[in-house]
PDB file of all heavy atoms in Angstrom:
ATOM      1  N   TYR A 314      13.478  13.243  12.494  1.00  0.00           N
ATOM      2  CA  TYR A 314      14.105  12.399  11.479  1.00  0.00           C
ATOM      3  C   TYR A 314      15.345  11.784  12.120  1.00  0.00           C
ATOM      4  O   TYR A 314      16.365  12.446  12.297  1.00  0.00           O
ATOM      5  CB  TYR A 314      14.467  13.221  10.248  1.00  0.00           C
ATOM      6  CG  TYR A 314      13.339  13.393   9.258  1.00  0.00           C
ATOM      7  CD1 TYR A 314      13.504  14.193   8.121  1.00  0.00           C
ATOM      8  CD2 TYR A 314      12.122  12.744   9.425  1.00  0.00           C
ATOM      9  CE1 TYR A 314      12.487  14.335   7.197  1.00  0.00           C
ATOM     10  CE2 TYR A 314      11.104  12.887   8.507  1.00  0.00           C
ATOM     11  CZ  TYR A 314      11.289  13.688   7.397  1.00  0.00           C
ATOM     12  OH  TYR A 314      10.268  13.824   6.486  1.00  0.00           O
ATOM     13  N   LEU A 315      15.243  10.505  12.454  1.00  0.00           N
ATOM     14  CA  LEU A 315      16.256   9.827  13.267  1.00  0.00           C
ATOM     15  C   LEU A 315      17.366   9.241  12.385  1.00  0.00           C
ATOM     16  O   LEU A 315      17.793   8.102  12.574  1.00  0.00           O
ATOM     17  CB  LEU A 315      15.587   8.746  14.111  1.00  0.00           C
ATOM     18  CG  LEU A 315      16.306   8.289  15.380  1.00  0.00           C
ATOM     19  CD1 LEU A 315      16.424   9.421  16.385  1.00  0.00           C
ATOM     20  CD2 LEU A 315      15.579   7.101  15.996  1.00  0.00           C
ATOM     21  N   MET A 316      17.823  10.019  11.417  1.00  0.00           N
ATOM     22  CA  MET A 316      18.886   9.568  10.518  1.00  0.00           C
ATOM     23  C   MET A 316      20.203  10.208  10.932  1.00  0.00           C
ATOM     24  O   MET A 316      20.905  10.835  10.140  1.00  0.00           O
ATOM     25  CB  MET A 316      18.557   9.906   9.068  1.00  0.00           C
ATOM     26  CG  MET A 316      17.308   9.235   8.543  1.00  0.00           C
ATOM     27  SD  MET A 316      15.853  10.140   9.101  1.00  0.00           S
ATOM     28  CE  MET A 316      14.566   9.388   8.109  1.00  0.00           C
ATOM     29  N   THR A 317      20.501  10.081  12.219  1.00  0.00           N
ATOM     30  CA  THR A 317      21.746  10.599  12.764  1.00  0.00           C
ATOM     31  C   THR A 317      22.434   9.484  13.546  1.00  0.00           C
ATOM     32  O   THR A 317      21.868   8.414  13.747  1.00  0.00           O
ATOM     33  CB  THR A 317      21.465  11.777  13.720  1.00  0.00           C
ATOM     34  OG1 THR A 317      20.587  11.330  14.768  1.00  0.00           O
ATOM     35  CG2 THR A 317      20.827  12.952  12.988  1.00  0.00           C
ATOM     36  N   GLU A 318      23.623   9.744  13.990  1.00  0.00           N
ATOM     37  CA  GLU A 318      24.302   8.796  14.869  1.00  0.00           C
ATOM     38  C   GLU A 318      23.673   8.871  16.261  1.00  0.00           C
ATOM     39  O   GLU A 318      23.011   9.847  16.608  1.00  0.00           O
ATOM     40  CB  GLU A 318      25.793   9.130  14.920  1.00  0.00           C
ATOM     41  CG  GLU A 318      26.489   8.975  13.576  1.00  0.00           C
ATOM     42  CD  GLU A 318      27.910   9.508  13.569  1.00  0.00           C
ATOM     43  OE1 GLU A 318      28.348  10.038  14.625  1.00  0.00           O
ATOM     44  OE2 GLU A 318      28.573   9.434  12.509  1.00  0.00           O
ATOM     45  N   GLY A 319      23.858   7.816  17.045  1.00  0.00           N
ATOM     46  CA  GLY A 319      23.355   7.821  18.411  1.00  0.00           C
ATOM     47  C   GLY A 319      21.846   7.834  18.492  1.00  0.00           C
ATOM     48  O   GLY A 319      21.268   8.590  19.293  1.00  0.00           O
ATOM     49  N   GLN A 320      21.190   6.999  17.711  1.00  0.00           N
ATOM     50  CA  GLN A 320      19.731   7.016  17.672  1.00  0.00           C
ATOM     51  C   GLN A 320      19.107   6.721  19.032  1.00  0.00           C
ATOM     52  O   GLN A 320      18.151   7.385  19.449  1.00  0.00           O
ATOM     53  CB  GLN A 320      19.236   6.005  16.623  1.00  0.00           C
ATOM     54  CG  GLN A 320      19.594   6.389  15.199  1.00  0.00           C
ATOM     55  CD  GLN A 320      19.291   5.284  14.214  1.00  0.00           C
ATOM     56  OE1 GLN A 320      19.606   4.117  14.456  1.00  0.00           O
ATOM     57  NE2 GLN A 320      18.682   5.636  13.101  1.00  0.00           N
ATOM     58  N   GLU A 321      19.639   5.729  19.721  1.00  0.00           N
ATOM     59  CA  GLU A 321      19.104   5.400  21.048  1.00  0.00           C
ATOM     60  C   GLU A 321      19.244   6.572  22.008  1.00  0.00           C
ATOM     61  O   GLU A 321      18.335   6.853  22.806  1.00  0.00           O
ATOM     62  CB  GLU A 321      19.818   4.172  21.628  1.00  0.00           C
ATOM     63  CG  GLU A 321      19.503   2.859  20.918  1.00  0.00           C
ATOM     64  CD  GLU A 321      20.446   2.572  19.777  1.00  0.00           C
ATOM     65  OE1 GLU A 321      21.213   3.491  19.397  1.00  0.00           O
ATOM     66  OE2 GLU A 321      20.441   1.434  19.278  1.00  0.00           O
ATOM     67  N   GLU A 322      20.380   7.257  21.930  1.00  0.00           N
ATOM     68  CA  GLU A 322      20.622   8.379  22.832  1.00  0.00           C
ATOM     69  C   GLU A 322      19.657   9.534  22.560  1.00  0.00           C
ATOM     70  O   GLU A 322      19.188  10.200  23.496  1.00  0.00           O
ATOM     71  CB  GLU A 322      22.066   8.864  22.702  1.00  0.00           C
ATOM     72  CG  GLU A 322      23.099   7.915  23.279  1.00  0.00           C
ATOM     73  CD  GLU A 322      23.443   6.747  22.351  1.00  0.00           C
ATOM     74  OE1 GLU A 322      22.880   6.686  21.234  1.00  0.00           O
ATOM     75  OE2 GLU A 322      24.260   5.892  22.749  1.00  0.00           O
ATOM     76  N   VAL A 323      19.368   9.777  21.282  1.00  0.00           N
ATOM     77  CA  VAL A 323      18.408  10.838  20.946  1.00  0.00           C
ATOM     78  C   VAL A 323      17.042  10.514  21.538  1.00  0.00           C
ATOM     79  O   VAL A 323      16.404  11.358  22.187  1.00  0.00           O
ATOM     80  CB  VAL A 323      18.305  11.022  19.415  1.00  0.00           C
ATOM     81  CG1 VAL A 323      17.168  11.986  19.072  1.00  0.00           C
ATOM     82  CG2 VAL A 323      19.616  11.542  18.841  1.00  0.00           C
ATOM     83  N   LEU A 324      16.586   9.277  21.342  1.00  0.00           N
ATOM     84  CA  LEU A 324      15.278   8.885  21.869  1.00  0.00           C
ATOM     85  C   LEU A 324      15.251   8.971  23.398  1.00  0.00           C
ATOM     86  O   LEU A 324      14.273   9.437  23.988  1.00  0.00           O
ATOM     87  CB  LEU A 324      14.930   7.467  21.412  1.00  0.00           C
ATOM     88  CG  LEU A 324      14.696   7.277  19.909  1.00  0.00           C
ATOM     89  CD1 LEU A 324      14.451   5.806  19.591  1.00  0.00           C
ATOM     90  CD2 LEU A 324      13.526   8.122  19.408  1.00  0.00           C
ATOM     91  N   GLU A 325      16.343   8.526  24.036  1.00  0.00           N
ATOM     92  CA  GLU A 325      16.376   8.554  25.492  1.00  0.00           C
ATOM     93  C   GLU A 325      16.387   9.990  26.015  1.00  0.00           C
ATOM     94  O   GLU A 325      15.704  10.311  27.007  1.00  0.00           O
ATOM     95  CB  GLU A 325      17.599   7.808  26.019  1.00  0.00           C
ATOM     96  CG  GLU A 325      17.660   7.769  27.542  1.00  0.00           C
ATOM     97  CD  GLU A 325      18.815   6.933  28.072  1.00  0.00           C
ATOM     98  OE1 GLU A 325      19.568   6.357  27.264  1.00  0.00           O
ATOM     99  OE2 GLU A 325      18.953   6.865  29.308  1.00  0.00           O
ATOM    100  N   THR A 326      17.142  10.872  25.370  1.00  0.00           N
ATOM    101  CA  THR A 326      17.196  12.266  25.803  1.00  0.00           C
ATOM    102  C   THR A 326      15.816  12.908  25.716  1.00  0.00           C
ATOM    103  O   THR A 326      15.402  13.642  26.630  1.00  0.00           O
ATOM    104  CB  THR A 326      18.197  13.058  24.941  1.00  0.00           C
ATOM    105  OG1 THR A 326      19.507  12.502  25.117  1.00  0.00           O
ATOM    106  CG2 THR A 326      18.223  14.526  25.334  1.00  0.00           C
ATOM    107  N   TYR A 327      15.116  12.624  24.649  1.00  0.00           N
ATOM    108  CA  TYR A 327      13.751  13.153  24.521  1.00  0.00           C
ATOM    109  C   TYR A 327      12.829  12.521  25.553  1.00  0.00           C
ATOM    110  O   TYR A 327      12.035  13.201  26.206  1.00  0.00           O
ATOM    111  CB  TYR A 327      13.225  12.926  23.105  1.00  0.00           C
ATOM    112  CG  TYR A 327      13.499  14.095  22.192  1.00  0.00           C
ATOM    113  CD1 TYR A 327      14.759  14.284  21.624  1.00  0.00           C
ATOM    114  CD2 TYR A 327      12.514  15.034  21.907  1.00  0.00           C
ATOM    115  CE1 TYR A 327      15.028  15.362  20.795  1.00  0.00           C
ATOM    116  CE2 TYR A 327      12.766  16.116  21.079  1.00  0.00           C
ATOM    117  CZ  TYR A 327      14.023  16.280  20.529  1.00  0.00           C
ATOM    118  OH  TYR A 327      14.284  17.359  19.723  1.00  0.00           O
ATOM    119  N   GLY A 328      12.918  11.208  25.708  1.00  0.00           N
ATOM    120  CA  GLY A 328      11.993  10.510  26.594  1.00  0.00           C
ATOM    121  C   GLY A 328      12.176  10.848  28.054  1.00  0.00           C
ATOM    122  O   GLY A 328      11.202  10.947  28.812  1.00  0.00           O
ATOM    123  N   ARG A 329      13.414  11.047  28.474  1.00  0.00           N
ATOM    124  CA  ARG A 329      13.674  11.285  29.891  1.00  0.00           C
ATOM    125  C   ARG A 329      13.591  12.758  30.278  1.00  0.00           C
ATOM    126  O   ARG A 329      13.366  13.075  31.452  1.00  0.00           O
ATOM    127  CB  ARG A 329      15.046  10.733  30.283  1.00  0.00           C
ATOM    128  CG  ARG A 329      15.107   9.215  30.224  1.00  0.00           C
ATOM    129  CD  ARG A 329      16.337   8.687  30.963  1.00  0.00           C
ATOM    130  NE  ARG A 329      16.390   7.225  30.908  1.00  0.00           N
ATOM    131  CZ  ARG A 329      15.749   6.428  31.728  1.00  0.00           C
ATOM    132  NH1 ARG A 329      14.954   6.948  32.658  1.00  0.00           N
ATOM    133  NH2 ARG A 329      15.846   5.107  31.624  1.00  0.00           N
TER     134      ARG A 329
END
Side-chain angles (χ1 to χ4, degrees):
Y314 275 176
L315 203 64
M316 298 80 169
T317 58
E318 296 171 358
Q320 293 171 315
E321 291 90 349
E322 289 80 1
V323 172
L324 293 176
E325 182 175 359
T326 298
Y327 268 79
R329 292 195 180 276

